[in-house]
Amino acid sequence: MEVMKVLHMNKGDGETSYANNSAVQGKIITTAKPVIEEAILGILCETFPESIGIADLGCSSGPNSLLVISEIIDIIHAKCLNLGRPSPEFRVSLNDLPGNDFNSIFDSLTAFFKKQKQEKGIGFGRCYISGVAGSFYDRLFPDKSLHFVHSSSSLHWLSQVPPALESNATPAALNKGKIYISKSSPQCVLDAYSLQFQNNFLIFLKSRAAEMVAGGRMVLSLMGRRSIDPTTEESCYQWELLAQALMSLVTERLIEEEKLDSFNAPYYAPCPEELKMAIQKEGSFIIDRLGHFEIDWDGGVEELTNTTLLPLSRGQRVAKTVRAVVESMFELHFGKAMMDLLFARYAEMVDDYLSKNRAKYINLVISIIKKDN
Amino acid sequence: MEVMKVLHMNKGDGETSYANNSAVQGKIITTAKPVIEEAILGILCETFPESIGIADLGCSSGPNSLLVISEIIDIIHAKCLNLGRPSPEFRVSLNDLPGNDFNSIFDSLTAFFKKQKQEKGIGFGRCYISGVAGSFYDRLFPDKSLHFVHSSSSLHWLSQVPPALESNATPAALNKGKIYISKSSPQCVLDAYSLQFQNNFLIFLKSRAAEMVAGGRMVLSLMGRRSIDPTTEESCYQWELLAQALMSLVTERLIEEEKLDSFNAPYYAPCPEELKMAIQKEGSFIIDRLGHFEIDWDGGVEELTNTTLLPLSRGQRVAKTVRAVVESMFELHFGKAMMDLLFARYAEMVDDYLSKNRAKYINLVISIIKKDN
């Protein structure tokens, strides 16, 4: 699977769109806000740039795309008011893969700028927002052009399925009946995933190191795990249930077993030690803060936006959130016709699981500082 | 009409899309290439920036969006080879109104970068391309961030219909039966258009002056006229024929007469003196070159890409080119249902006109240099 070409959040603003099913990711951004604030104040306390370069990597589309930018601008603007100085020129880059719906972000910019001006008045500095399409596992921005880099709910996506797991690389399916690391996965599957993450994260750090100024800061939040063991429920159970939903369609002969066996998600939930190790190995950044927080599978939000009149079950809400994110990949592999049934089945399984368990995603959040060269 | 919200080239890659009907605009870019080359070599001869900021304003979508960028990079790369030095870092911004199809541009970037690398090898400098949505009659880019600015087939679009002509501003239609300046237009219509252009072009120059470095250069090509008189055929006859096509639908009661009377195109084809005057008035730029060239209404291209098997008449090809550009505005005002008929009628009228006349668009091309502050 060519992840760069395939992976994108569901487009538009319909029932299954990411725009309408991204409250969990919005909650994650809001939860990490104190870390973002601390990092930005850290930058402003060292130097006060007249022009500040900001990038959001994996910006997606929908309400979350401008939410974090709005937060960042608010923080800087408040600090400037506090210091009695004009706010800097904001150079904001919104990045995602080329399949992302940038058109819808650009459509919302007029309203965004209007709101900023209304709220902040004429003291508000000029703000230039551009869209940058490409993989963050590569260079995206000019040398030393960024002061603050943010990424939320994105870095758990790998640039590719670990090569050792691609079906044409091995005679028999290594990860039979599973689509991510599972208790039944052999060690080589765990190792392949961990290695792919390490390789990707190293390239990510190296690319950003070239793009950031000394003293620049980066706040990253991503799905992760607390334990060293990658097979614990908190780290992989949402994939386990999705594999079970797929397996039920295999049993009913709606999906071929080989189709399931040959699919592996280009995803990895690292533990804090893995982040730490890669950052130390790459060498350009100092870790300022590394922690985690928990988010309910349904974001703890009782009412997600939905266009149906009946309230949705928690399982249905979780399924809609997951579908809006993974459908582009699943549709390509398993076929469009299976999607409604698959996610209905998944919703039932999630409901059943949640009736017996309190399921949480673990989000790692890390704040790092670019060293002087 | 809110031009900023309405005006966009026809999206997608279908029969009536701009992507498939923009050969004339492509020819204009290619024709202006020597002026672009002269300007860029002029920049490189003064200073040789390690990182060069380039913007294309009104980039549209389809093959033309990356055509001019490709030309600019080729010119700089060739000069570097010639001097035996590495090419600079390219910071490229592609700008258009928010309704432009940026998604399709971003989709084509992977192939674009691949081609650049293949052609130019490892000596090719890093190239960062971003999309910037907004009106060029406003600030778009950070202070002093650009070395070269280009715009082709865009600056003849006004930010709004001249206010004096908006139907709610006047009790009776001032420009009855016409949609642009015409031989029968009263002087106040001519004045309103000229004033709107002057105002727009002044803001354009002022915005760019702040964004460009001293010694930076700008090459602009746009529809224009040679004569001071704005009512000559070469300056407005394509609109005259479109008004006649609309009038024929009025006669057949398919369109209300008031609908036609209340439509005026947010377009102006200036004469060289108007450009000169505005540049002198604004004061930040020196004129290096100001000329014009002619392009046949059908671009002189015998076979435009089309998906029909029958060869198209010249009138049909002209109508398709014009439709791909103006349809967003016409559809909003006259209704979607009228579009096929309107442009079929227009094609007939163009065929008839071309059987008796050799019709040419006049393109003004101007190359200007940002003064030292």
Side-chain angles (χ1 to χ4, degrees), chain A residues 89 101-103 128 131 139 143, chain B residues 101-103 128 131 139 143:
Chain A
E89 173 184 85
D101 192 357
F102 283 96
N103 285 351
Y128 304 101
R139 283 292 302 273
D143 286 350
Chain B
D101 193 357
F102 284 96
N103 285 352
Y128 304 101
R139 284 291 302 273
D143 287 348

Side-chain angles (χ1 to χ4, degrees), chain A residues 8-152:
Chain A
H8 61 77
M9 306 300 101
N10 278 355
K11 298 187 183 191
D13 53 9
E15 177 72 14
T16 62
S17 67
Y18 183 77
N20 275 334
N21 295 283
S22 51
V24 173
Q25 291 86 344
K27 182 119 194 234
I28 289 170
I29 290 172
T30 312
T31 309
K33 189 177 171 184
V35 184
I36 294 173
E37 182 156 19
E38 185 186 56
I40 289 173
L41 296 180
I43 297 170
L44 300 183
C45 141
E46 299 264 320
T47 55
F48 210 105
E50 283 192 14
S51 173
I52 185 162
I54 297 162
D56 186 33
L57 310 180
C59 63
S60 74
S61 55
N64 293 339
S65 298
L66 294 172
L67 172 61
V68 70
I69 293 308
S70 180
E71 280 185 359
I72 293 167
I73 291 175
D74 285 353
I75 294 164
I76 298 173
H77 186 70
K79 182 68 184 171
C80 290
L81 281 181
N82 195 260
L83 295 172
R85 54 172 295 160
S87 58
E89 173 184 85
F90 298 95
R91 289 178 285 109
V92 177
S93 296
L94 298 176
N95 155 261
D96 210 313
L97 290 172
N100 185 50
D101 192 357
F102 283 96
N103 285 351
S104 78
I105 302 180
F106 289 150
D107 271 341
S108 61
L109 282 183
T110 309
F112 173 82
F113 283 128
K114 197 173 161 191
K115 186 162 168 277
Q116 291 296 327
K117 269 182 198 154
Q118 273 170 353
E119 283 176 8
K120 306 198 169 70
I122 45 164
F124 178 58
R126 290 185 187 279
C127 178
Y128 304 101
I129 299 185
S130 63
V132 173
S135 168
F136 49 53
Y137 297 126
D138 199 347
R139 283 292 302 273
L140 289 168
F141 308 102
D143 286 350
K144 298 185 179 34
S145 58
L146 298 174
H147 296 79
F148 182 66
V149 174
H150 174 267
S151 176
S152 182

